[in-house]
Amino acid sequence: MACGVAMVSSAVTVVAVNTLTDRHDSSVLAVGHDNVSGGAVYTVAHGVTPPTDFTHAAESTINGVVSIKSYATPRGYGNGYQSTPFDMFDFFFGSPGNGNRRQQQPERREKSEQQLGLGSGVIISKDGYIVTNNHVIDGAERLEITLNDNRTFNAKVIGTDPSTDVALIKIEADNLPVIPIGDSDALRVGEWVLAVGNPFGFTSTVTTGIVSAKARSISSATNGRAMGIESYIQTDAAVNPGNSGGALVNINGELVGINTAIYSQTGNYAGYSFAIPTSIVTKIVTDIKQYGAVQRAVLGIMFRELTPQLIKELGITAVNDGILVRELVERGSAMEAGIQVDDVIVAIGDTPVHNSAQLQEAVNKYRPGDKVKVKYIRDNKTYTTDVTFRNSQGDTKMTKAKDVTSLGCAFKPLSKEQLKEHQLTSGVQVTGLRDGKFKEAGVKDGFIILDINNARVKSQEDVEKIYESIMKSSDSDKVMFITGIYPTGRKVYYAVDLAD
């Protein structure tokens, strides 16, 4: 067996290796943001022929997968604002461009644009809509898309959902090759699948494997660090840095998942990879296109997966697994439907739920206002009830896409005279107040903002970044806690509710 190896010089991978080898454990890693600087090449002679012909699936899908390069002008990250919830990729790799958002650094500005990373995307419509991972495009100021025929386009971001790590972007082109969307729910463990993407910057690389598991949660592999909504397809198809956002297709060449993460000690493929199923992806993409924002249904319970110990403690004999209700959210969907503490939920609609990953995937298919039958066990008897899903605010309204203009004001930096007068080092002043979130909270024109959510504020850009971070978070409470002063010197605190 011949094997040639080249040293890996990717800055992203180096950070991952150093972080993980110091801890001597395995971790789930993002497979995007592979900085363009080199790669490892392994040549292995295989003597076994796969039992299935993959040529049709490969030939019909490679043209529907694109390469995505992200670019940005490097900036300092000295304002200390909070990262979005899916920045577990920053946790392992550091921020794009070797910046670390959690460490304060000197403010710096550079004019030259630099490449942040490299990932993949899947064409889902002839007129240029492309689905990829949020972490592939996060922080980018420009996205360059390269098709399999080497045509390049700049893309614009249509919408993102950090909670599922899905993003929708678009290029201006016509008659593009499209990968048809398949039914991820119909996938079976042991079924052959292909991963199509651009690992290490190679064009249209295809690898094969089988479905190892469905509805897989991987938080336990990240030391309990939450990865948002997770119910992954686990495969053993080789996926490497640059594959993020690429296609997982079945033997018929149908899209069944978006490749997202790998389980590895080195940052490269080590036997396990994970994909977001199309049952989730199609719902997210539809919401973004139709409403401009993801419509997230909430069941309104706090729960635990049923364990042998809990089964014994509660005297449960009717089932061996399921979702044990531990608390009910006031005015929530479950409470309204009559579900009680210690009930065991075993199905949402036609979908059995044996664990939390299956519950997340099942609920994430619905929108606020949708009605579904929920099957549960109480006192070892089976019941069914109709549940009308609500949103995180406790109603059935659709969420509208919002931006920082909803605050209803502008922000201007303080002059040197103002800084000296108030003995401040930084701050921004509210100006041009009109109807909006700030006015509703009682903020007046001239108010000087010192910090928001414990992050120092130096410019309007800082306010915008904090706002975006809050709105991207999966927290049900989206609030700006603001500390500041009025020109009179009076110190005031405001809580600005950003929810509808």
Side-chain angles (χ1 to χ4, degrees):
M1 180 178 296
C3 181
V5 181
M7 293 299 292
V8 176
S9 58
S10 166
V12 170
T13 305
V14 169
V15 173
V17 172
N18 291 341
T19 302
L20 299 174
T21 51
D22 288 346
R23 296 192 320 198
H24 301 290
D25 66 356
S26 297
S27 295
V28 176
L29 306 176
V31 292
H33 284 300
D34 180 34
N35 284 9
V36 183
S37 55
V41 179
Y42 298 84
T43 304
V44 182
H46 293 279
V48 179
T49 302
T52 306
D53 183 1
F54 302 108
T55 55
H56 167 72
E59 290 172 355
S60 64
T61 56
I62 56 173
N63 291 320
V65 175
V66 303
S67 171
I68 301 176
K69 294 178 182 178
S70 59
Y71 295 88
T73 303
R75 292 182 176 89
Y77 295 95
N79 56 19
Y81 70 94
Q82 295 296 310
S83 297
T84 58
F86 222 92
D87 275 352
M88 59 81 61
F89 303 104
D90 277 359
F91 176 74
F92 287 116
F93 297 137
S95 297
N98 292 332
N100 191 325
R101 297 183 184 180
R102 292 170 178 79
Q103 296 179 359
Q104 297 221 350
Q105 297 181 7
E107 189 75 16
R108 66 183 186 274
R109 299 281 176 176
E110 298 178 17
K111 294 182 179 180
S112 60
E113 181 184 69
Q114 293 185 10
Q115 185 172 333
L116 290 179
L118 177 68
S120 303
V122 180
I123 302 172
I124 59 171
S125 71
K126 291 184 177 181
D127 58 348
Y129 283 98
I130 296 169
V131 67
T132 184
N133 287 141
N134 178 66
H135 76 261
V136 169
I137 67 165
D138 189 34
E141 296 173 356
R142 184 172 70 88
L143 296 172
E144 182 181 281
I145 311 303
T146 304
L147 306 186
N148 195 43
D149 60 8
N150 288 326
R151 285 185 293 165
T152 61
F153 300 85
N154 284 331
K156 65 178 179 179
V157 177
I158 303 301
T160 64
D161 182 39
S163 292
T164 54
D165 198 24
V166 173
L168 181 66
I169 62 178
K170 190 178 188 303
I171 60 176
E172 295 303 320
D174 296 314
N175 298 318
L176 296 175
V178 175
I179 299 180
I181 295 177
D183 183 3
S184 59
D185 290 340
L187 275 179
R188 300 173 61 187
V189 174
E191 183 175 338
W192 283 102
V193 286
L194 289 76
V196 187
N198 298 272
F200 307 113
F202 298 143
T203 302
S204 301
T205 298
V206 179
T207 56
T208 62
I210 62 169
V211 176
S212 305
K214 295 178 62 180
R216 178 71 82 195
S217 171
I218 53 181
S219 288
S220 60
T222 59
N223 297 323
R225 187 178 176 86
M227 290 183 64
I229 294 173
E230 48 174 316
S231 181
Y232 296 103
I233 301 168
Q234 179 184 324
T235 79
D236 64 352
V239 172
N240 281 292
N243 265 118
S244 265
L248 186 73
V249 300
N250 60 22
I251 201 67
N252 297 319
E254 299 168 329
L255 183 71
V256 292
I258 298 296
N259 296 315
T260 297
I262 58 178
Y263 187 73
S264 173
Q265 291 177 311
T266 64
N268 294 329
Y269 174 73
Y272 301 102
S273 55
F274 302 91
I276 308 166
T278 52
S279 60
I280 290 178
V281 174
T282 52
K283 184 334 187 119
I284 299 301
V285 168
T286 301
D287 281 356
I288 290 173
K289 292 178 71 174
Q290 186 171 348
Y291 303 102
V294 178
Q295 308 302 315
R296 188 144 284 136
V298 176
L299 184 55
I301 62 171
M302 304 295 181
F303 63 88
R304 289 185 61 185
E305 292 183 5
L306 204 59
T307 64
Q309 182 178 351
L310 289 171
I311 289 174
K312 184 177 181 181
E313 289 177 2
L314 299 173
I316 297 172
T317 59
V319 289
N320 295 318
D321 55 31
I323 300 299
L324 178 66
V325 178
R326 301 304 271 173
E327 292 182 38
L328 292 165
V329 176
E330 295 289 341
R331 300 187 304 115
S333 307
M335 178 179 284
E336 181 187 48
I339 293 174
Q340 299 177 11
V341 172
D342 289 340
D343 287 349
V344 179
I345 296 174
V346 294
I348 303 290
D350 297 328
T351 305
V353 289
H354 303 288
N355 53 49
S356 59
Q358 289 178 326
L359 177 69
Q360 288 186 27
E361 182 174 356
V363 172
N364 202 52
K365 296 176 184 177
Y366 298 96
R367 299 183 179 95
D370 287 348
K371 183 180 288 187
V372 64
K373 290 190 179 297
V374 173
K375 184 186 293 185
Y376 62 95
I377 306 297
R378 180 185 297 168
D379 298 327
N380 292 312
K381 296 180 180 178
T382 302
Y383 298 88
T384 301
T385 184
D386 289 326
V387 171
T388 300
F389 285 116
R390 300 184 179 187
N391 58 31
S392 60
Q393 305 306 311
D395 57 46
T396 58
K397 295 179 181 178
M398 293 296 176
T399 302
K400 298 178 181 178
K402 296 184 294 185
D403 58 30
V404 73
T405 59
S406 67
L407 299 180
C409 63
F411 307 93
K412 66 178 182 179
L414 298 181
S415 65
K416 292 181 180 179
E417 291 76 16
Q418 287 176 307
L419 292 172
K420 184 177 180 180
E421 177 185 353
H422 298 293
Q423 297 181 345
L424 300 173
T425 58
S426 63
V428 296
Q429 191 167 34
V430 174
T431 182
L433 190 69
R434 58 188 184 280
D435 290 343
K437 296 296 183 181
F438 268 36
K439 190 173 183 179
E440 292 172 5
V443 177
K444 304 290 193 300
D445 252 329
F447 179 62
I448 298 172
I449 298 174
L450 301 179
D451 64 67
I452 302 176
N453 293 6
N454 296 318
R456 294 293 293 178
V457 174
K458 301 178 182 179
S459 65
Q460 177 163 326
E461 185 182 44
D462 291 345
V463 178
E464 293 172 353
K465 287 179 178 178
I466 296 170
Y467 175 89
E468 290 171 2
S469 177
I470 294 171
M471 297 308 293
K472 285 182 178 180
S473 76
S474 57
D475 296 338
S476 58
D477 296 324
K478 299 185 185 299
V479 183
M480 277 186 168
F481 294 103
I482 302 176
T483 302
I485 63 172
Y486 279 98
T488 60
R490 181 168 64 99
K491 195 169 188 178
V492 182
Y493 304 89
Y494 288 108
V496 180
D497 185 3
L498 302 181
D500 286 327

